[in-house]
């Protein structure tokens, strides 16, 4: 048996000792198959494992995640696991499974060569130990490595049992609606001067005070196939870049500066604008979002067709696209002009994965005082799926 340490002061490793990460790399270099069963993972560790598997030319990898079916999983970790699992299956090199009937909290790593297990780790290191980040950099864990073939085989047999259909299933075979997704905090609005946070109870209160029509604004986005077609044929999805959420990919406003990735241009259809109670042009109002943000908005432009925040054109994008980024579905782009493959473009698949494809806003019977003493109406603003068929305020009152 060999101990695998963390390396955190004041308990730095000593001469002759080895860290878990180094031990994992050493064993992986000797292996052609990995079988892992842990309680928790992280987005960073999933991506690190994926990279190591390709770097070490591992022929097959199987990962069991043990705690999430019952406890729930953060949305960024879930979406990353879905993507990695899909990639492994398409490449024929592995899968990610989810333990279903109970919470599995063990941490086991089995290394195979020529279909025979030769090494195993057992201890307290979750997969997150592969990628040191702020949340685990000061978390000391310790494990043991064994190369005793009887012990290794016993651990391998247990992991095989855990991977049987009665205990776990491939992540792709589990309905996402049966998994509790824990929403990530959208930090894109942190420190923005014109935005304030409100508690959940206040959000719920304002939602109960909604009156009149509910206005729905579907988000116009391309599919991955649309983008791939453009890449293949040298065309451009102009209809998706000149309006709505992907306007940042439209032509720059000046020759020296490309558009900010957070820039959006929410264009409301004539049919929606003609509904009774739609906001009057250039008459500001407060909005309280479904995730607890508060800022001022208005409708502007020709025909009153634009819906935007007041004072900062990036606020709406930081609220909307920031949620998708927090969920791990897209990475903000520093320079949209250099993103020639549209990696930062919001797609239909991203919205489907998030479970929302429309903005929904509705007036309440509440008002609040602006900084200049003006009394302004308060509206609610939500990012939801039109498939939800949200009921009207009048229907809610009847319930």
């Amino acid at each position: 048996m060999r101990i695998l340490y963390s390396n955190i002061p004041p308990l730095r490793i000593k001469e002759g000792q080895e860290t878990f990460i180094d031990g994992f790399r050493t064993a992986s270099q000797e292996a052609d198959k990995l079988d892992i069963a842990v309680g928790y993972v992280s987005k960073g560790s999933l991506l690190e494992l994926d990279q190591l598997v390709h770097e070490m030319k591992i022929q097959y990898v199987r990962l069991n995640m043990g705690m999430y079916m019952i406890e729930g999983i953060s949305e960024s970790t879930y979406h990353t696991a879905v993507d990695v699992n899909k990639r492994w299956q398409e490449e024929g090199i592995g899968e990610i499974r989810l333990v279903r009937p109970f919470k599995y909290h063990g941490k086991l790593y089995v290394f195979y060569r020529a279909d025979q297990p030769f090494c195993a780790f057992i201890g307290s290191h979750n997969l997150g130990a592969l990628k040191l980040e702020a949340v685990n950099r000061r978390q000391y864990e310790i494990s043991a490595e064994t190369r005793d073939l009887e012990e290794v085989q016993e651990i391998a047999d247990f992991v095989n049992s855990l991977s049987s259909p009665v205990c776990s299933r491939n992540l792709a075979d589990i309905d996402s609606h049966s998994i509790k997704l824990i929403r990530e905090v959208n930090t894109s609005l942190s420190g923005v001067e014109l935005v304030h946070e409100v508690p959940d109870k206040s959000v719920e209160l304002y939602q109960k005070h909604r009156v009149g029509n509910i206005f729905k604004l579907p988000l116009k986005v391309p599919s991955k196939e649309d983008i791939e077609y453009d890449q293949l044929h040298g065309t451009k999805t102009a209809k998706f870049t000149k309006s709505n959420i992907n306007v940042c990919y439209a032509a720059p406003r000046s020759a020296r500066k490309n558009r900010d990735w957070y820039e959006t241009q929410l264009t409301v259809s004539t049919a929606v604008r003609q509904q009774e109670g739609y906001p009057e042009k250039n008459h500001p109002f407060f909005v309280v979002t479904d995730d607890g943000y508060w800022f001022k908005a208005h409708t502007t432009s020709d025909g009153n067709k634009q819906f935007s925040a007041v004072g900062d054109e990036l606020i709406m994008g930081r609220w909307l696209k920031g949620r998708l980024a927090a969920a791990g579905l897209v990475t903000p782009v520093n320079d949209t002009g250099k993103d020639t493959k549209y990696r930062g473009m919001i797609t239909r698949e991203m919205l489907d994965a998030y479970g929302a494809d429309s903005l929904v806003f509705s007036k309440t019977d509440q008002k609040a005082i602006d900084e200049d003493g003006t009394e302004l109406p308060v509206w609610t603003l939500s990012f939801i799926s039109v498939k939800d068929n949200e009921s009207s305020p009048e229907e809610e009152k009847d319930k």
Side-chain angles (χ1 to χ4, degrees), residues 126-140:
N126 276 301
L127 194 71
L130 291 182
K131 183 68 174 179
L132 292 180
E133 299 173 288
V135 293
N136 66 350
R137 189 169 292 277
R138 299 294 298 171
Q139 180 171 302
Y140 199 100

mmCIF file of all heavy atoms in Angstrom, residues 126-140:
data_model
loop_
_atom_site.group_PDB
_atom_site.id
_atom_site.type_symbol
_atom_site.label_atom_id
_atom_site.label_comp_id
_atom_site.label_asym_id
_atom_site.label_seq_id
_atom_site.Cartn_x
_atom_site.Cartn_y
_atom_site.Cartn_z
ATOM 1 N N ASN A 126 -12.262 12.948 -4.149
ATOM 2 C CA ASN A 126 -13.244 12.985 -5.225
ATOM 3 C C ASN A 126 -12.542 13.378 -6.515
ATOM 4 O O ASN A 126 -11.357 13.731 -6.522
ATOM 5 C CB ASN A 126 -14.359 13.985 -4.897
ATOM 6 C CG ASN A 126 -15.442 13.386 -4.024
ATOM 7 O OD1 ASN A 126 -16.080 12.403 -4.399
ATOM 8 N ND2 ASN A 126 -15.653 13.970 -2.853
ATOM 9 N N LEU A 127 -13.282 13.346 -7.626
ATOM 10 C CA LEU A 127 -12.672 13.652 -8.912
ATOM 11 C C LEU A 127 -12.133 15.079 -8.960
ATOM 12 O O LEU A 127 -11.188 15.378 -9.697
ATOM 13 C CB LEU A 127 -13.683 13.442 -10.050
ATOM 14 C CG LEU A 127 -13.078 13.410 -11.457
ATOM 15 C CD1 LEU A 127 -12.288 12.121 -11.657
ATOM 16 C CD2 LEU A 127 -14.155 13.536 -12.526
ATOM 17 N N GLY A 128 -12.721 15.978 -8.152
ATOM 18 C CA GLY A 128 -12.270 17.353 -8.124
ATOM 19 C C GLY A 128 -10.799 17.495 -7.790
ATOM 20 O O GLY A 128 -10.187 18.533 -8.084
ATOM 21 N N ALA A 129 -10.199 16.461 -7.191
ATOM 22 C CA ALA A 129 -8.783 16.516 -6.845
ATOM 23 C C ALA A 129 -7.897 16.574 -8.080
ATOM 24 O O ALA A 129 -6.726 16.958 -7.998
ATOM 25 C CB ALA A 129 -8.403 15.296 -6.001
ATOM 26 N N LEU A 130 -8.444 16.214 -9.237
ATOM 27 C CA LEU A 130 -7.664 16.282 -10.469
ATOM 28 C C LEU A 130 -7.447 17.719 -10.932
ATOM 29 O O LEU A 130 -6.547 17.997 -11.720
ATOM 30 C CB LEU A 130 -8.372 15.507 -11.595
ATOM 31 C CG LEU A 130 -8.437 13.991 -11.475
ATOM 32 C CD1 LEU A 130 -9.122 13.415 -12.708
ATOM 33 C CD2 LEU A 130 -7.043 13.400 -11.324
ATOM 34 N N LYS A 131 -8.292 18.628 -10.465
ATOM 35 C CA LYS A 131 -8.224 20.018 -10.908
ATOM 36 C C LYS A 131 -8.369 20.929 -9.687
ATOM 37 O O LYS A 131 -9.483 21.181 -9.222
ATOM 38 C CB LYS A 131 -9.334 20.310 -11.915
ATOM 39 C CG LYS A 131 -9.298 21.716 -12.501
ATOM 40 C CD LYS A 131 -8.091 21.924 -13.402
ATOM 41 C CE LYS A 131 -8.154 23.275 -14.087
ATOM 42 N NZ LYS A 131 -6.979 23.507 -14.956
ATOM 43 N N LEU A 132 -7.243 21.414 -9.171
ATOM 44 C CA LEU A 132 -7.283 22.278 -7.995
ATOM 45 C C LEU A 132 -7.878 23.633 -8.360
ATOM 46 O O LEU A 132 -7.407 24.306 -9.277
ATOM 47 C CB LEU A 132 -5.879 22.449 -7.422
ATOM 48 C CG LEU A 132 -5.258 21.191 -6.805
ATOM 49 C CD1 LEU A 132 -3.876 21.494 -6.264
ATOM 50 C CD2 LEU A 132 -6.157 20.630 -5.710
ATOM 51 N N GLU A 133 -8.939 24.002 -7.646
ATOM 52 C CA GLU A 133 -9.616 25.274 -7.870
ATOM 53 C C GLU A 133 -9.835 25.937 -6.518
ATOM 54 O O GLU A 133 -9.495 25.376 -5.469
ATOM 55 C CB GLU A 133 -10.947 25.034 -8.595
ATOM 56 C CG GLU A 133 -10.757 24.388 -9.962
ATOM 57 C CD GLU A 133 -12.065 23.985 -10.608
ATOM 58 O OE1 GLU A 133 -12.684 23.010 -10.157
ATOM 59 O OE2 GLU A 133 -12.458 24.655 -11.566
ATOM 60 N N ALA A 134 -10.435 27.101 -6.525
ATOM 61 C CA ALA A 134 -10.602 27.862 -5.282
ATOM 62 C C ALA A 134 -11.372 27.068 -4.231
ATOM 63 O O ALA A 134 -11.059 27.138 -3.038
ATOM 64 C CB ALA A 134 -11.303 29.184 -5.576
ATOM 65 N N VAL A 135 -12.377 26.303 -4.660
ATOM 66 C CA VAL A 135 -13.238 25.615 -3.692
ATOM 67 C C VAL A 135 -12.559 24.428 -3.018
ATOM 68 O O VAL A 135 -12.975 23.999 -1.944
ATOM 69 C CB VAL A 135 -14.540 25.133 -4.382
ATOM 70 C CG1 VAL A 135 -15.383 26.302 -4.814
ATOM 71 C CG2 VAL A 135 -14.226 24.216 -5.568
ATOM 72 N N ASN A 136 -11.508 23.867 -3.637
ATOM 73 C CA ASN A 136 -10.882 22.685 -3.028
ATOM 74 C C ASN A 136 -9.385 22.842 -2.788
ATOM 75 O O ASN A 136 -8.714 21.906 -2.368
ATOM 76 C CB ASN A 136 -11.139 21.438 -3.878
ATOM 77 C CG ASN A 136 -10.449 21.491 -5.247
ATOM 78 O OD1 ASN A 136 -9.932 22.525 -5.642
ATOM 79 N ND2 ASN A 136 -10.463 20.378 -5.956
ATOM 80 N N ARG A 137 -8.867 24.024 -3.055
ATOM 81 C CA ARG A 137 -7.421 24.230 -2.916
ATOM 82 C C ARG A 137 -6.962 24.095 -1.468
ATOM 83 O O ARG A 137 -5.807 23.749 -1.203
ATOM 84 C CB ARG A 137 -7.043 25.602 -3.481
ATOM 85 C CG ARG A 137 -5.545 25.827 -3.590
ATOM 86 C CD ARG A 137 -5.242 27.076 -4.393
ATOM 87 N NE ARG A 137 -5.603 26.902 -5.793
ATOM 88 C CZ ARG A 137 -4.820 26.308 -6.703
ATOM 89 N NH1 ARG A 137 -3.647 25.827 -6.351
ATOM 90 N NH2 ARG A 137 -5.203 26.204 -7.952
ATOM 91 N N ARG A 138 -7.859 24.367 -0.516
ATOM 92 C CA ARG A 138 -7.511 24.249 0.899
ATOM 93 C C ARG A 138 -8.229 23.069 1.557
ATOM 94 O O ARG A 138 -8.397 23.032 2.764
ATOM 95 C CB ARG A 138 -7.867 25.546 1.637
ATOM 96 C CG ARG A 138 -7.139 26.782 1.139
ATOM 97 C CD ARG A 138 -5.650 26.710 1.400
ATOM 98 N NE ARG A 138 -5.343 26.643 2.832
ATOM 99 C CZ ARG A 138 -4.130 26.394 3.323
ATOM 100 N NH1 ARG A 138 -3.122 26.149 2.519
ATOM 101 N NH2 ARG A 138 -3.933 26.375 4.621
ATOM 102 N N GLN A 139 -8.616 22.094 0.760
ATOM 103 C CA GLN A 139 -9.308 20.914 1.282
ATOM 104 C C GLN A 139 -8.348 19.728 1.264
ATOM 105 O O GLN A 139 -7.982 19.236 0.201
ATOM 106 C CB GLN A 139 -10.542 20.614 0.413
ATOM 107 C CG GLN A 139 -11.340 19.398 0.876
ATOM 108 C CD GLN A 139 -12.649 19.280 0.131
ATOM 109 O OE1 GLN A 139 -13.464 20.194 0.162
ATOM 110 N NE2 GLN A 139 -12.852 18.166 -0.555
ATOM 111 N N TYR A 140 -7.960 19.282 2.435
ATOM 112 C CA TYR A 140 -6.974 18.199 2.517
ATOM 113 C C TYR A 140 -7.673 16.842 2.417
ATOM 114 O O TYR A 140 -8.589 16.541 3.172
ATOM 115 C CB TYR A 140 -6.187 18.265 3.820
ATOM 116 C CG TYR A 140 -4.890 17.496 3.748
ATOM 117 C CD1 TYR A 140 -3.691 18.151 3.522
ATOM 118 C CD2 TYR A 140 -4.874 16.108 3.863
ATOM 119 C CE1 TYR A 140 -2.489 17.449 3.424
ATOM 120 C CE2 TYR A 140 -3.693 15.389 3.762
ATOM 121 C CZ TYR A 140 -2.493 16.064 3.538
ATOM 122 O OH TYR A 140 -1.312 15.359 3.429
#
